[in-house]
Amino acid sequence: MSHHSAFRLLLRNTSLRSLKPSQSGITFQYQNVRTLHIDGRNRLSTFWAPTQGTAGSGSEDDSHTLLLRSGFLRQAHSGVFHLLPLGQRVQNKLERLIDKHMTGLGASKVSLSSITTRDLWLKSGRYSANSEFLRVRDRKESGFFLSPTHEEEITTLVGRILSSYKDLPLRLYQISRKYRDEKRPREGLLRAKEFLMKDLYTFDSEHEAALSTYRDVCNAYVSILDELKIPYLVAEAESGDMGGKLSHEYHFSSLKGEDNVCVCNSCNYVANEEKGQKSLDQQRVRDGSNSPNELIWEGITTDRRTLVEVHYPHQLNQELFPTIQRDPLSKGDLGKAQDLNIRLLKEILPELDTSIETGAFGLWASQFKKVAWQQQRATDVSFGDRIAIYDYRLLPVLPFNPSGPSPADQIITTHPTTNSPLDLTRIRTGDLCPRCLTGTLTVHKAIEVGHTFHLGTRYSVPLKCVVETPTGPTPVHMGCHGIGVSRLIGAIAAVLADGKGLNWPRVVAPFEAVVFSGRDIKDKDTESVYDGLLGTVADVVLDDRKKELGWKLIDADLVGYPVIVLLGRRWKEEKIVELQCRRLGVKEDIVISELAGRIRDLLEQL
């Protein structure tokens, strides 16, 4: 008889429960190894939660360090992270929350391939060799890359299947991994190369129906954020490369954010800085004046043949406008791109290359093979085209650059479309609201967690997503609407973390409550308290690890369980437990008969 046949016979005739290590041919060298309890209870002795083991570098954001130390994730590579079981539970709950509201919109869930092709993006007009694609090089040089977004793929898919307007409206969504060749990954999940996104794509037969769908989606996004119970901002936004003319961003206000959101203190005006406007100082518009603190920022056009000089006044807000620096090649003071309203400059001069923030004069001069251009700056600047753009608070001067004799080829002082005066500086706190004209704006740092776009026919026309209507073939009207799922994890951590650790809203917390006890409390008592909460708390976990009570308290705060239940010194005699909710500032002793109701009240506030 073979060894395999003998082993199968042993399994048939031997109870596995009674099989000792020696009977199976196995011997254990080490004692006190980890024990896995499989009794239906959530136990941290069984659940893999490697907490407190890893600290981030000093350059990392504090909340990201907490996510590492508390065992939610680990970094695999630059901008790439592995989710551990705690992080996976948070992600799963976010997905379920999103699924609920997408189902409420009548959306069907799909799963698109992560691989897309250059040809599709060329058809839509969005392909650029400089785009942040993670490219895939196969043996056939097929032009594949990992998709950062799926507008091209979903439009092509739907266009091949739809035939009639009677098939609309259609709403499809997916939650999938996206990829971006991020030049400088930072802040953990907030700016990564690989990230999880929810994308909803909507298809309607006409413009008004698409706008109605857009409003429905915006309401669903508000409902999702309401369930998180974290203050948020809904801001008018620029659509950018995505296309369309109507979009909104959804933000958590946080000093750790990279976006600036402008909020009026008098009306409902809220706008991303790129979209935002401010009311002009009408007295200055009428009178005009030359600021003694004039700054000049130099830019260049994409063809490198035109130098662009932007003249604007120095502002006194030192947070946004740091100390003036002297340009060694000019008699003027050196301005910075971050002082300026770049969106407005692109409207005025679409060919301006906004990726070039410094060194524009050198690039311009090099186009004309001027060797010692530093010296020629003061003697010969007659080569090439030059455009000067003036803020409304400054009077243009000819020649506009006092260090050179040549005047500008073109001077711009008003908007080419509206003919209105130009306020070239960024919005700052205290500026007048453009909508109500009486309120003032406050600029908030914020983290973007979602974005809704009304696309119109931006993709359906070039990709031929067309349906038959009573009046003939008609391009489908589309919308795309994203939520950064993995980004939300990082954003929630950033907004709610405190000096002791993370804090999670109830709806996405890895567990809603943790129960543990001191060493002198019997296991069956701790388990009975756990069992008594199961009808009240949807997700409770038992910390039965062989650790000291103080360690468990610190660990529970670090992980950020909404509620902590501790069986301590008053349990044996009085059946009283200690109840903690750090986010609400609750720390109280409570009799066991009232525990479930009190926890329910606390969780409803989280």
Side-chain angles (χ1 to χ4, degrees):
M1 182 183 295
S2 69
H3 291 298
H4 292 297
S5 300
F7 186 67
R8 284 196 295 268
L9 181 62
L10 174 67
L11 288 180
R12 284 199 302 267
N13 297 320
T14 306
S15 170
L16 290 179
R17 292 181 180 272
S18 63
L19 188 63
K20 296 180 180 179
S22 60
Q23 289 177 284
S24 62
I26 301 171
T27 59
F28 292 115
Q29 179 179 356
Y30 304 107
Q31 301 300 315
N32 299 320
V33 295
R34 183 169 179 244
T35 301
L36 298 181
H37 295 275
I38 308 174
D39 61 357
R41 295 184 179 97
N42 292 323
R43 295 175 177 270
L44 288 181
S45 62
T46 301
F47 191 84
W48 190 43
T51 58
Q52 298 186 342
T54 302
S57 67
S59 62
E60 291 285 3
D61 175 66
D62 288 344
S63 58
H64 176 59
T65 301
L66 289 174
L67 285 169
L68 292 169
R69 292 185 56 230
S70 56
F72 283 80
L73 53 87
R74 288 293 188 270
Q75 181 165 328
H77 313 285
S78 175
V80 180
F81 298 91
H82 297 313
L83 276 188
L84 304 187
L86 283 172
Q88 186 65 48
R89 287 184 70 89
V90 173
Q91 179 175 294
N92 288 344
K93 289 189 176 184
L94 276 172
E95 291 189 39
R96 287 199 293 270
L97 175 64
I98 291 169
D99 285 340
K100 180 178 76 172
H101 289 279
M102 294 301 100
T103 300
L105 286 170
S108 300
K109 195 171 187 178
V110 298
S111 179
L112 303 182
S113 170
S114 294
I115 297 176
T116 188
T117 67
R118 180 180 58 218
D119 291 343
L120 269 184
W121 285 64
L122 285 169
K123 289 179 181 178
S124 70
R126 286 208 297 172
Y127 181 81
S128 168
N130 297 323
S131 296
E132 296 180 333
F133 296 127
L134 274 175
R135 302 171 193 275
V136 178
R137 185 174 181 179
D138 66 351
R139 67 189 67 186
K140 297 181 179 180
E141 298 288 344
S142 304
F144 290 138
F145 51 85
L146 298 179
S147 187
T149 183
H150 279 86
E151 283 70 32
E152 282 78 4
E153 290 288 348
I154 195 72
T155 306
T156 302
L157 172 66
V158 171
R160 289 171 178 168
I161 297 173
L162 288 184
S163 59
S164 169
Y165 74 100
K166 295 180 181 180
D167 298 324
L168 301 173
L170 178 64
R171 298 171 180 180
L172 303 173
Y173 81 102
Q174 67 169 349
I175 299 176
S176 63
R177 294 181 182 273
K178 303 295 180 66
Y179 303 88
R180 176 175 53 217
D181 188 12
E182 182 67 50
K183 294 179 181 178
R184 190 169 64 89
R186 55 197 180 276
E187 299 185 40
L189 297 177
L190 297 181
R191 182 67 70 173
K193 289 186 175 181
E194 181 186 46
F195 47 97
L196 195 71
M197 284 282 297
K198 186 284 301 178
D199 290 305
L200 168 67
Y201 302 100
T202 62
F203 303 84
D204 288 278
S205 59
E206 54 188 357
H207 175 68
E208 290 302 323
L211 288 179
S212 178
T213 294
Y214 183 84
R215 289 189 289 270
D216 290 342
V217 174
C218 290
N219 289 333
Y221 271 43
V222 166
S223 297
I224 291 171
L225 295 176
D226 283 343
E227 290 209 42
L228 293 174
K229 296 182 180 177
I230 297 174
Y232 59 90
L233 299 168
V234 181
E236 298 175 18
E238 281 291 317
S239 296
D241 294 336
M242 190 66 71
K245 296 182 179 179
L246 173 64
S247 73
H248 287 83
E249 292 174 349
Y250 302 79
H251 296 265
F252 290 154
S253 183
S254 170
L255 293 176
K256 298 167 185 175
E258 294 185 332
D259 289 322
N260 292 310
V261 178
C262 310
V263 181
C264 177
N265 64 1
S266 181
C267 68
N268 61 356
Y269 181 74
V270 183
N272 183 290
E273 183 184 45
E274 296 177 351
K275 179 74 171 181
Q277 299 176 341
K278 52 182 172 176
S279 180
L280 302 184
D281 184 337
Q282 295 303 315
Q283 184 66 35
R284 298 290 292 275
V285 172
R286 288 191 296 270
D287 298 345
S289 65
N290 262 62
S291 168
N293 292 324
E294 177 181 340
L295 298 179
I296 303 172
W297 174 75
E298 291 180 332
I300 195 169
T301 53
T302 52
D303 63 4
R304 304 294 186 263
R305 297 190 62 84
T306 302
L307 183 70
V308 181
E309 290 199 4
V310 179
H311 296 245
Y312 63 98
H314 175 61
Q315 305 289 313
L316 299 180
N317 185 334
Q318 292 301 312
E319 289 186 12
L320 290 179
F321 301 89
T323 304
I324 299 175
Q325 299 180 23
R326 181 71 63 177
D327 182 352
L329 306 179
S330 170
K331 294 180 181 178
D333 289 318
L334 180 67
K336 293 185 176 181
Q338 57 261 41
D339 299 349
L340 300 170
N341 185 336
I342 297 297
R343 175 191 60 81
L344 179 58
L345 289 175
K346 284 289 287 184
E347 288 181 9
I348 298 167
L349 197 66
E351 58 269 31
L352 177 67
D353 187 346
T354 56
S355 68
I356 305 298
E357 296 187 359
T358 59
F361 184 84
L363 289 172
W364 180 60
S366 67
Q367 292 295 312
F368 301 93
K369 298 180 171 44
K370 300 294 182 178
V371 179
W373 57 265
Q374 291 92 337
Q375 289 74 29
Q376 293 167 1
R377 171 91 174 190
T379 58
D380 178 15
V381 289
S382 59
F383 52 87
D385 296 327
R386 301 162 69 203
I387 294 176
I389 305 174
Y390 274 85
D391 187 278
Y392 79 99
R393 288 158 287 195
L394 301 174
L395 294 176
V397 177
L398 289 175
F400 73 91
N401 188 338
S403 63
S406 175
D409 296 278
Q410 183 181 2
I411 292 177
I412 300 174
T413 59
T414 58
H415 195 285
T417 303
T418 64
N419 203 37
S420 58
L422 300 175
D423 186 337
L424 300 176
T425 56
R426 289 172 58 183
I427 298 174
R428 58 184 183 141
T429 295
D431 285 332
L432 293 177
C433 175
R435 184 162 295 169
C436 68
L437 305 180
T438 56
T440 57
L441 301 176
T442 300
V443 179
H444 296 266
K445 299 296 291 182
I447 301 172
E448 182 186 349
V449 295
H451 205 144
T452 52
F453 297 89
H454 170 62
L455 299 174
T457 59
R458 163 66 181 85
Y459 295 91
S460 57
V461 168
L463 297 174
K464 297 181 173 56
C465 183
V466 177
V467 293
E468 288 292 335
T469 71
T471 58
T474 300
V476 171
H477 291 259
M478 292 177 56
C480 68
H481 316 280
I483 291 178
V485 179
S486 54
R487 186 179 178 86
L488 255 177
I489 297 174
I492 293 170
V495 171
L496 296 183
D498 59 20
K500 290 189 173 183
L502 300 166
N503 279 299
W504 297 101
R506 174 191 186 179
V507 71
V508 298
F511 295 97
E512 295 177 347
V514 60
V515 179
F516 53 87
S517 59
R519 282 185 177 268
D520 57 341
I521 306 297
K522 294 180 179 179
D523 289 345
K524 67 177 183 179
D525 288 352
T526 313
E527 291 170 356
S528 70
V529 173
Y530 170 96
D531 293 341
L533 295 178
L534 292 180
T536 301
V537 184
D539 244 349
V540 61
V541 66
L542 189 64
D543 190 350
D544 58 337
R545 294 172 292 182
K546 303 304 180 183
K547 298 286 186 178
E548 295 295 330
L549 182 62
W551 187 95
K552 290 184 180 181
L553 279 168
I554 293 172
D555 186 74
D557 281 336
L558 180 65
V559 172
Y561 303 108
V563 171
I564 296 173
V565 179
L566 167 62
L567 282 71
R569 54 186 174 80
R570 300 186 65 183
W571 171 257
K572 284 186 175 180
E573 301 297 331
E574 304 173 76
K575 292 297 182 282
I576 288 177
V577 301
E578 183 178 300
L579 179 63
Q580 296 184 20
C581 178
R582 189 168 93 251
R583 192 173 165 199
L584 297 178
V586 172
K587 185 177 181 181
E588 60 192 32
D589 291 341
I590 188 169
V591 296
I592 189 65
S593 60
E594 298 176 3
L595 179 62
R598 181 63 174 137
I599 291 179
R600 181 173 56 247
D601 293 341
L602 292 175
L603 290 176
E604 287 176 354
Q605 300 176 60
L606 300 174

